[in-house]
Amino acid sequence: MQGRGTFISPFPRPRCLAAAAPAGKAKLTHPGKAILAGGLAGGIEICITFPTEYVKTQLQLDERANPPKYRGIGDCVKQTVQGHGVKGLYRGLSSLVYGSIPKSAVRFGVFEFLSNRARDENGRLDSTKGLLCGLGAGILEAVFVVCPMETVKVKFIHDQTSANPKYKGFYHGVREIINAQGIRGTYQGLTATVLKQGSNQAIRFYVMTSLKNWYKGDNPDKAMNPLVTGTFGAVAGAASVFGNTPLDVIKTRMQGLEAHKYKSTLDCALKIMRHEGLAAFYKGTVPRLGRVCLDVAIVFIIYEEVVKVLNVVWKTD
């Protein structure tokens, strides 16, 4: 009887494997945890990397059509510090801090919400689905957070280049913009922002998902230390920079104080090409590359580590 029981074709072994499958199934991240971890990661990251964002934006606004004000990254930093002190490199930080926390919260919350429904029975997310989930997260963060906050940020930074800056702070600036242009004034460049953020997050989450799948192989629960997470994040960030810097340039022009010169996103792109040439679409690439690689690495490291802590203190299974 025992020998016969041992010899039951292939069925006992597959049932045993099926029973063991849940142990090897990747743990899903609750969207609530993603929102908390993402918000915290975004707030810390922007405080570290803002000066490079400031320099990138200044170089993009320094249009070739006018006599250039800056000769490069070093000259931009030098003139800013000489004219406004070191704190000048942090002009507009408040608007980005207020925006980065909800931006990252929405991004990771939406990504986890979508990816939890796109994973296979073992909890594995393939690269293509990672790209689509990242695209969805990028579009929603652009509409609800990024466009209004980035518009205010760019106006703040651009305002500093004028002889008599008119914005005295975040709330004062927002009030002045709304008084002069209405709510629509905080949604300039929406199309470019949606295209930029959507492609941004699609590229980043595609690369991150691909690298994670490669690293973990057949073990979806294989631990990733912060160094590995940061390295993968930096690679994902670099890929997104080379993939959509032209959209970032167009978005910045559409949100600047001289946005009235452009009738639409397409008109902006055509005028840049006509008057400044193809190279203008890659102005600010070097400072953006440094900032984004550091930015994405920091965000993913903090996000993953905070999620680990939340998994211990907040049981959602």
Side-chain angles (χ1 to χ4, degrees):
M1 211 48 197
Q2 183 179 358
R4 187 176 177 185
T6 308
F7 181 72
I8 295 183
S9 324
F11 290 104
R13 185 172 295 274
R15 273 201 300 268
C16 181
L17 287 174
K25 183 176 180 179
K27 294 182 177 65
L28 303 183
T29 300
H30 189 281
K33 295 178 182 178
I35 290 172
L36 288 176
L40 182 60
I44 295 173
E45 170 273 321
I46 198 59
C47 290
I48 297 173
T49 63
F50 184 79
T52 56
E53 170 69 10
Y54 176 90
V55 172
K56 179 214 72 169
T57 304
Q58 286 283 38
L59 290 176
Q60 288 180 348
L61 292 173
D62 190 29
E63 298 182 34
R64 188 176 299 175
N66 297 319
K69 180 178 180 180
Y70 305 115
R71 294 190 298 273
I73 298 171
D75 185 52
C76 179
V77 173
K78 180 181 177 182
Q79 287 194 42
T80 300
V81 172
Q82 286 179 342
H84 305 277
V86 175
K87 67 178 182 180
L89 293 171
Y90 285 88
R91 179 68 180 266
L93 173 63
S94 59
S95 65
L96 242 65
V97 169
Y98 298 143
S100 288
I101 293 175
K103 177 177 73 174
S104 291
V106 169
R107 176 192 308 162
F108 284 102
V110 172
F111 178 79
E112 295 296 354
F113 176 82
L114 296 175
S115 65
N116 285 350
R117 286 153 179 76
R119 296 177 187 273
D120 62 21
E121 62 276 8
N122 293 321
R124 187 176 183 276
L125 181 70
D126 68 47
S127 301
T128 302
K129 290 180 179 177
L131 182 148
L132 293 175
C133 292
L135 177 64
I139 290 173
L140 287 180
E141 73 168 320
V143 173
F144 291 109
V145 183
V146 178
C147 189
M149 301 309 295
E150 285 281 296
T151 300
V152 172
K153 180 211 72 174
V154 172
K155 288 182 185 295
F156 272 11
I157 293 177
H158 205 173
D159 180 58
Q160 186 178 339
T161 65
S162 62
N164 298 302
K166 59 183 179 180
Y167 301 144
K168 301 174 182 177
F170 176 75
Y171 292 109
H172 178 260
V174 171
R175 187 169 64 248
E176 288 294 307
I177 293 169
I178 292 177
N179 286 342
Q181 305 170 30
I183 293 295
R184 185 176 180 180
T186 63
Y187 269 91
Q188 291 178 335
L190 178 60
T191 301
T193 304
V194 167
L195 290 172
K196 184 236 177 180
Q197 290 303 122
S199 62
N200 226 6
Q201 302 313 323
I203 293 171
R204 290 179 189 176
F205 280 107
Y206 172 80
V207 173
M208 200 69 184
T209 301
S210 299
L211 291 175
K212 278 185 174 181
N213 288 341
W214 167 77
Y215 180 79
K216 294 186 177 183
D218 296 327
N219 180 11
D221 271 336
K222 182 178 180 180
M224 287 176 57
N225 64 52
L227 179 60
V228 173
T229 301
T231 301
F232 289 174
V235 172
S240 69
V241 168
F242 290 113
N244 76 355
T245 288
L247 289 172
D248 187 55
V249 171
I250 294 170
K251 175 193 72 69
T252 300
R253 296 289 182 87
M254 291 291 292
Q255 293 172 335
L257 294 178
E258 298 182 0
H260 61 275
K261 297 196 306 185
Y262 310 114
K263 299 175 183 177
S264 65
T265 300
L266 178 60
D267 180 58
C268 178
L270 292 175
K271 285 183 176 176
I272 292 173
M273 175 65 79
R274 186 181 306 120
H275 299 298
E276 303 173 52
L278 185 63
F281 287 107
Y282 284 89
K283 290 182 76 172
T285 297
V286 174
R288 186 181 180 222
L289 182 64
R291 181 192 69 82
V292 170
C293 288
L294 182 61
D295 164 359
V296 181
I298 291 173
V299 167
F300 273 108
I301 288 173
I302 297 175
Y303 174 76
E304 295 289 350
E305 295 306 305
V306 173
V307 166
K308 290 177 185 177
V309 174
L310 291 176
N311 284 337
V312 174
V313 300
W314 179 6
K315 301 296 182 182
T316 55
D317 297 333

